[in-house]
Amino acid sequence: MIREVIFVSGFDSIIGHEDVVEHLKNAIETGKVSHSYIFYGDKGAGKKLMASTFAMALQCEKDGFEPCQTCDSCKKALGKNHPDIIQVTHEKPNSISIDEIRQQLILDVDIKPYNSEYKIYIIPEADKMTPQAQNALLKTIEEPPSYAVIILLTENVDGLLPTIQSRCIRLDMKVVDDALVKDYLMEHLQVPDYQAEVDASYAQGSIGKAKEAATSEDFAKMTENVLHILKNVNRMEVFELVDAIKEISQDKQNVNDYLDMMMFWFRDVLMFKATREIDNLVFKQEINYIREQASERSYEGLEKILEALEKTKTRLRANVNFDLAMELLFLTIREK
């Protein structure tokens, strides 16, 4: 549903991850750049952005620890056509073969950089390398040319061989506070306050996921559809709920996004019922509907709905019939 968006600029524009940024800046400034790194974190945590920024800074002709973004090298990096920054790709979605590692890295690394100090290889989804591919790469990591820098990006560090892990510097990309994500969206992408609140909550600490949501028409449409259902679910006829289920079923691959938005809504209702405060609500712009549902629903009923949402996620992961799972969920939501 949401396309991936990578906004490369400089370290100063990266939100959160201060310890990782400090480590990489220090490595550049002191000249103690490792030959191999593992950037580890959840999807959308900013691994590609961090790796791309690091690579651009290493190759920058101004020799600073921040990429200048104006020299020929930086311009090539920004245009994704830098000959000495290579992103390893793979054809099969769930596997990186030994042939792909050999052709794109092992056989290429002995060729000296074209016009840079370093030759940098970025391997997204590195845990998808087959054991054979990892073992082949290990030899290069153990005895790299002086100019080689290999950066492995992964959401699953345990998918990498222990021998690979032990020879790389591991940098963990932790989630970013929602308030920082919201501020970034408002300041840099001019996202309105209300939408930034929703995007930041949906992103759950992932600045990349928040950017994707903020720039996606599909996400805005999904939010609109979910809110229509949630605001009117108590007044909707059975046939209208069936139609709503059919509409969601057309976007099954993103059903967890729908369920997450529903959880935010009912947590808002529960929080308002308990505190009568608006400031910490995700959907504060819909306060009239939230206030109405808080008065109509019991604490026990709201807890049951939140449990039903978690159960629905579990059922769908277990490949339970989609329509049945959603019908059971809506029946729970309809009960006062």
Side-chain angles (χ1 to χ4, degrees):
M1 177 182 69
I2 301 175
R3 62 188 177 85
E4 183 177 31
V5 182
I6 304 293
F7 299 88
V8 180
S9 50
F11 286 119
D12 287 346
S13 69
I14 292 177
I15 305 302
H17 312 306
E18 289 87 356
D19 53 341
V20 177
V21 169
E22 184 179 354
H23 178 98
L24 296 176
K25 278 187 172 183
N26 186 61
I28 297 169
E29 195 169 18
T30 61
K32 296 179 179 178
V33 176
S34 174
H35 290 296
S36 52
Y37 292 89
I38 293 172
F39 288 7
Y40 167 57
D42 291 338
K43 179 179 173 60
K47 299 182 295 297
K48 282 187 180 178
L49 173 61
M50 189 72 76
S52 299
T53 304
F54 183 41
M56 187 163 67
L58 283 175
Q59 305 291 40
C60 180
E61 295 168 10
K62 300 290 178 66
D63 295 326
F65 54 76
E66 275 281 357
C68 73
Q69 303 178 62
T70 58
C71 69
D72 286 344
S73 179
C74 283
K75 287 178 181 177
K76 287 175 182 175
L78 289 167
K80 302 188 186 305
N81 59 2
H82 197 297
D84 296 321
I85 301 176
I86 299 99
Q87 181 160 295
V88 174
T89 60
H90 55 102
E91 289 187 7
K92 292 183 179 178
N94 295 312
S95 177
I96 304 176
S97 71
I98 186 172
D99 287 339
E100 288 167 327
I101 290 297
R102 274 182 181 150
Q103 292 298 322
Q104 298 178 60
L105 195 156
I106 296 170
L107 296 177
D108 184 77
V109 76
D110 287 332
I111 303 170
K112 290 183 178 181
Y114 288 93
N115 52 12
S116 308
E117 183 177 353
Y118 298 97
K119 197 164 189 181
I120 302 167
Y121 297 86
I122 300 172
I123 309 179
E125 303 177 305
D127 54 284
K128 293 183 179 178
M129 286 188 289
T130 64
Q132 295 85 354
Q134 292 193 46
N135 278 314
L137 177 62
L138 180 60
K139 294 177 182 177
T140 301
I141 288 177
E142 287 176 330
E143 299 178 4
S146 60
Y147 48 77
V149 177
I150 298 170
I151 306 173
L152 311 180
L153 314 182
T154 182
E155 297 171 36
N156 173 28
V157 74
D158 292 332
L160 297 172
L161 295 175
T163 45
I164 292 273
Q165 294 186 48
S166 67
R167 287 162 175 80
C168 297
I169 289 179
R170 172 174 156 178
L171 299 172
D172 292 358
M173 309 282 287
K174 300 179 180 68
V175 296
V176 181
D177 184 82
D178 281 2
L180 288 176
V181 176
K182 178 185 172 183
D183 289 345
Y184 178 86
L185 294 177
M186 291 176 65
E187 182 178 346
H188 293 274
L189 299 181
Q190 287 72 54
V191 177
D193 177 275
Y194 168 67
Q195 189 61 46
E197 187 91 48
V198 176
D199 294 342
S201 298
Y202 161 79
Q204 298 179 15
S206 164
I207 192 73
K209 197 173 180 182
K211 289 176 181 177
E212 291 166 11
T215 55
S216 167
E217 291 182 8
D218 288 339
F219 182 79
K221 183 179 179 183
M222 182 200 74
T223 304
E224 185 181 340
N225 290 342
V226 171
L227 287 177
H228 173 74
I229 294 169
L230 293 172
K231 289 190 290 188
N232 298 288
V233 67
N234 291 342
R235 292 180 282 273
M236 293 171 76
E237 300 292 338
V238 174
F239 76 88
E240 291 177 300
L241 283 175
V242 171
D243 287 343
I245 292 168
K246 285 181 179 176
E247 185 167 357
I248 293 174
S249 71
Q250 294 173 5
D251 196 19
K252 282 183 187 177
Q253 71 270 24
N254 297 299
V255 68
N256 276 336
D257 292 342
Y258 283 88
L259 297 175
D260 283 343
M261 299 298 280
M262 291 179 183
M263 291 189 82
F264 298 150
W265 176 271
F266 287 109
R267 284 174 185 161
D268 274 3
V269 176
L270 183 60
M271 182 176 288
F272 182 77
K273 186 175 183 69
T275 67
R276 313 305 292 180
E277 294 179 358
I278 299 174
D279 289 346
N280 292 322
L281 303 183
V282 174
F283 295 108
K284 56 174 65 77
Q285 190 165 312
E286 308 295 344
I287 183 58
N288 290 337
Y289 291 94
I290 288 171
R291 183 184 288 111
E292 177 186 339
Q293 292 194 18
S295 65
E296 292 177 347
R297 297 182 184 277
S298 66
Y299 287 108
E300 182 185 9
L302 289 167
E303 292 288 356
K304 281 184 177 179
I305 291 171
L306 291 170
E307 288 173 10
L309 283 159
E310 290 289 1
K311 282 182 183 176
T312 303
K313 285 187 175 184
T314 303
R315 286 169 177 154
L316 293 175
R317 281 196 297 268
N319 292 320
V320 171
N321 178 273
F322 181 89
D323 288 352
L324 176 61
M326 297 303 292
E327 284 173 20
L328 288 170
L329 172 62
F330 280 129
L331 284 171
T332 303
I333 292 173
R334 280 290 293 267
E335 291 176 3
K336 297 283 203 301

